[in-house]
Structure formats: structure tokens, C-alpha cells
Amino acid sequence: MACGLVSMTLRGLVSVVILLWTVTSTDGGDIHVTCLFSEDCVLACSFQPGSELVIHWLKPEDKDLNVHSYYYSTDQLEQQSQRYRGRTALFNDQIPKGNASLLLRGLTLQDQGRYKCYTSTIKDHKESFINMAVEAPVRLVDIQLSDDIITCNSTGIYPEPKLTWSTDPPSDLSFDPGTIQNSTSTKVDDGGLYDITSTKQFIRDRTNICNVTSGTVERTATLKQQDPVQGSPSSEVSIPCSVSQSDLKTFNLTWRFNQIDTILNSTYTKGTSQMYIDDQWKEQVQNLSDSGSLQLHKLTMVYQGIYSCELSTARDSHLVLTYLEITPDKPSDGTNFRWTESRFNHWYNNSSSSSSDYSSSDMSPAER
């Protein structure tokens, strides 16, 4: 396996190409390379230096399609396939040293297949073969909740992905006639990449987990609902973000109001954090604790609603929903607020609807 940063010179211009690829080979056999969709990739080829050099890069499975040619000490692209125009280059300064490697830019799925590197000098000639696979790994899994239905989706994936649901702790509602069963669908975009979407019944007392896998790459998104939090205009309120951060070195933490307005965004890198608070929330945000809890004060009724904490890493994302109820400092009737699940549903569904359907108390502080 090879993975690294390669610096190279093309016709006197220095450029840096970032490669994320894997290479396997057997003695005397084809080399197998896996590269990333839309990125650049180098197909390695070497020869014994000599005069009267000829280099041909061909694609045998496409009737020896001309990918790139070099002779008379310069590139010869008159016969190059239109598919590869403007996307190939040799490392010209390295050719006298026996390097005939090909740089292929902006990979598509059509570029997959077997390539032949033919080199010839006055002394010798050589053929070598490279099998190149192109992958578009799972990068982001999005998870959302609306009307007790949880939706998980991911886009731009190759090869075809698989999506699975689970909960923590485990649950089995397969025998409940009122349960909405999982529904998963995939579609292929114009570039041949897969989009996958799945919906299921939201299980309130558990963490709902969605896993999307393609090849050897797996990404996970989770969603759970916390107990409600109560506050008043004169009180300070702490809304917890109950996602473990103890073993994380690099992650991003975002707090949102009613899933629309960003309150703050904090990026953590190896113990160092950078936080941005939206201007509309600077007066209300008192602090962000080390555990990720959002501490607020100076609250009025417009700040009543759903607060979401989203923690994201390169591999996973975790979404936690908490309902905040704002009550008067001195209730006129002397009654206390009592939480009900139906009240949460009412507020959550309002916050998930379009802004044009909001009542004044549903609107964001910016809208007011």
C-alpha cells in the first residue's frame, strides 16, 4: 500500500499533487491501483534510459485507445483519444532518468480499466500493465427527523453502498404492527455515482444509528432526543450535548436553533479550539463548556424551541435534540410547567416546517 504527497515538475512548472491511493502487485504481473473519483492519479512506469525513446500509454480493452504518446523528445497528442484531452501529462524532467509515469487528472468512472505502458529505446523495449479502479468513498452521512420519521442519506458514492439501521441499546420492533418499516432506495446520477436514502420510525428512548458502507469505507450518523430543559428570562440555562468527546482529537461542534439558525460553531484540533458565535446570538450565548454544553442567558419566548447539537468527525456525525421551554419568572396562576410528549411533537413539527408557517413565537431571533 502506498499513500503520500508527491511533488513533481511538468514542463518546468512545479505543481503539487495530493494522492490518496492504494497499490498492490505480484511479481511479473499487473499492478493494481485504486484512486479517487474526480482527483488526480499517477500510473507508474519505468524503463532503462536510452536514445530514440518512444512512450505509448494505451488502453488495451478499448482497442488500444491512445491515452498519451511521446517520441522525438516531445509529447505527441495528435492521435490522443478525445476522452483524455487536457487530462494527461508525463513528468518530462524525469524521462531521461527512466520515468515514464503518467499523470491522469480529474478521474471519472469511465477511466477505470487496464492500461498498458509501452517504452522503446535503441537498446530495448518493454511493456507493463496497470489495472486502475476508481472509488468515490462515503464522505458524509446526513440524518434528520420529521414527524417521528427519521431519514438517513448519503450521496456521490462508488461502488454501490449499503445502508443499515441499529439502535443503542438494541431494539426489535419488527413485531409491532404500528411500526413503520425501513424503506431504502438508491439511484445513480449522471456520473455513475450512487445516492442512497433510507427512512424508518424514530425510536425516542434510544440512540438511532445509520451506517453507510462502500468498499472498505464506513461512515456513521446517530440521532437521539434528550429530556427537555426549562428556563426563564432571569435564569441561566445549560443545554447538554451528550456525545462523548474524550477520545476525539479533531472534531467540529455546531449548535443550531430549530435546525435552521446556526448559534455557534467550534472546531477542535489536537486540544486547540476555535469558536465562532453568530451575531444574532452573542448576547444570549454565555459559554460553551468543555463537554460541549451550551450555556445561555437573557432568554425570552422567541428562544423557546428545539436546540440541536451536532458533533462531526471525519468518520462519524452525532445529532442530539433538546427542547427548551421558556417560562415566566413569576407565573400569574401559580402553576408549574409540566412536560408532555405531545407538546414536544407540536414544537418539533413546527420547527421542521417552512418558515412561512411559523407563528411569531416559532420564529428565530433573526426573523423577529
Side-chain angles (χ1 to χ4, degrees):
M1 176 179 290
C3 184
L5 183 67
V6 180
S7 297
M8 53 198 69
T9 303
L10 302 178
R11 295 183 175 275
L13 298 177
V14 177
S15 63
V16 177
V17 179
I18 299 177
L19 302 176
L20 181 58
W21 59 331
T22 59
V23 180
T24 58
S25 176
T26 56
D27 293 341
D30 292 7
I31 296 174
H32 294 265
V33 178
T34 301
C35 297
L36 297 183
F37 180 85
S38 80
E39 301 291 340
D40 300 344
C41 189
V42 173
L43 305 183
C45 181
S46 62
F47 64 96
Q48 289 296 324
S51 59
E52 299 183 18
L53 172 64
V54 174
I55 301 173
H56 289 302
W57 276 96
L58 308 169
K59 207 171 182 188
E61 60 191 23
D62 289 341
K63 300 180 180 180
D64 275 347
L65 191 73
N66 187 292
V67 178
H68 196 105
S69 291
Y70 176 98
Y71 48 89
Y72 298 147
S73 301
T74 189
D75 293 311
Q76 303 288 342
L77 305 179
E78 293 82 1
Q79 303 301 317
Q80 185 182 43
S81 168
Q82 184 67 34
R83 186 195 308 175
Y84 293 96
R85 290 286 172 90
R87 299 175 52 223
T88 63
L90 301 178
F91 304 103
N92 290 23
D93 63 328
Q94 297 295 315
I95 290 176
K97 302 176 184 179
N99 185 352
S101 299
L102 177 75
L103 172 65
L104 185 55
R105 301 186 182 94
L107 293 181
T108 69
L109 297 181
Q110 195 177 18
D111 293 329
Q112 295 187 103
R114 192 170 188 245
Y115 289 79
K116 177 169 70 174
C117 174
Y118 171 86
T119 57
S120 174
T121 66
I122 197 171
K123 298 178 181 179
D124 195 10
H125 71 274
K126 176 184 176 183
E127 290 183 352
S128 58
F129 294 88
I130 299 178
N131 279 286
M132 183 179 71
V134 176
E135 291 185 356
V138 186
R139 298 182 183 274
L140 175 67
V141 178
D142 181 63
I143 195 166
Q144 296 180 351
L145 178 65
S146 178
D147 295 332
D148 276 347
I149 301 300
I150 187 170
T151 301
C152 179
N153 71 82
S154 189
T155 61
I157 306 168
Y158 189 88
E160 184 174 2
K162 295 181 179 179
L163 188 150
T164 57
W165 289 99
S166 59
T167 63
D168 184 23
S171 62
D172 184 6
L173 299 181
S174 58
F175 298 104
D176 184 347
T179 299
I180 297 176
Q181 299 299 315
N182 300 354
S183 174
T184 302
S185 62
T186 58
K187 65 178 183 179
V188 182
D189 65 20
D190 293 340
L193 303 182
Y194 288 89
D195 300 340
I196 191 166
T197 301
S198 184
T199 59
K200 67 178 287 290
Q201 185 84 41
F202 178 56
I203 304 175
R204 291 188 176 278
D205 59 350
R206 287 167 169 78
T207 299
N208 295 253
I209 304 169
C210 173
N211 288 286
V212 179
T213 305
S214 176
T216 60
V217 178
E218 179 183 74
R219 296 290 181 265
T220 301
T222 71
L223 190 152
K224 69 177 177 179
Q225 173 187 310
Q226 293 186 138
D227 291 336
V229 173
Q230 199 173 352
S232 67
S234 63
S235 66
E236 297 176 357
V237 176
S238 179
I239 306 175
C241 182
S242 55
V243 178
S244 175
Q245 306 167 15
S246 59
D247 58 344
L248 300 179
K249 302 296 183 183
T250 300
F251 62 93
N252 188 75
L253 181 65
T254 302
W255 276 96
R256 292 187 176 91
F257 178 65
N258 284 342
Q259 300 189 95
I260 298 173
D261 298 323
T262 298
I263 301 171
L264 65 81
N265 183 277
S266 187
T267 301
Y268 296 79
T269 305
K270 296 180 180 179
T272 303
S273 65
Q274 290 185 330
M275 183 169 66
Y276 165 79
I277 302 175
D278 187 89
D279 290 341
Q280 299 291 338
W281 287 85
K282 285 184 177 179
E283 187 175 356
Q284 278 65 46
V285 174
Q286 189 175 30
N287 189 28
L288 182 68
S289 72
D290 291 340
S291 64
S293 296
L294 179 65
Q295 298 174 357
L296 303 173
H297 63 169
K298 300 181 181 180
L299 300 174
T300 63
M301 286 299 297
V302 297
Y303 297 102
Q304 180 171 266
I306 303 296
Y307 287 77
S308 59
C309 165
E310 182 175 357
L311 187 147
S312 302
T313 69
R315 178 181 174 84
D316 305 321
S317 64
H318 306 278
L319 183 63
V320 180
L321 305 178
T322 306
Y323 179 82
L324 174 63
E325 170 77 11
I326 306 297
T327 59
D329 288 327
K330 296 180 179 180
S332 58
D333 59 0
T335 59
N336 294 323
F337 167 79
R338 182 179 180 183
W339 175 262
T340 64
E341 183 173 309
S342 62
R343 191 175 180 90
F344 178 90
N345 292 341
H346 169 74
W347 277 97
Y348 185 85
N349 293 336
N350 282 346
S351 69
S352 299
S353 64
S354 64
S355 59
S356 62
D357 294 332
Y358 286 172
S359 67
S360 61
S361 62
D362 294 328
M363 293 181 182
S364 70
E367 293 171 313
R368 292 297 299 270

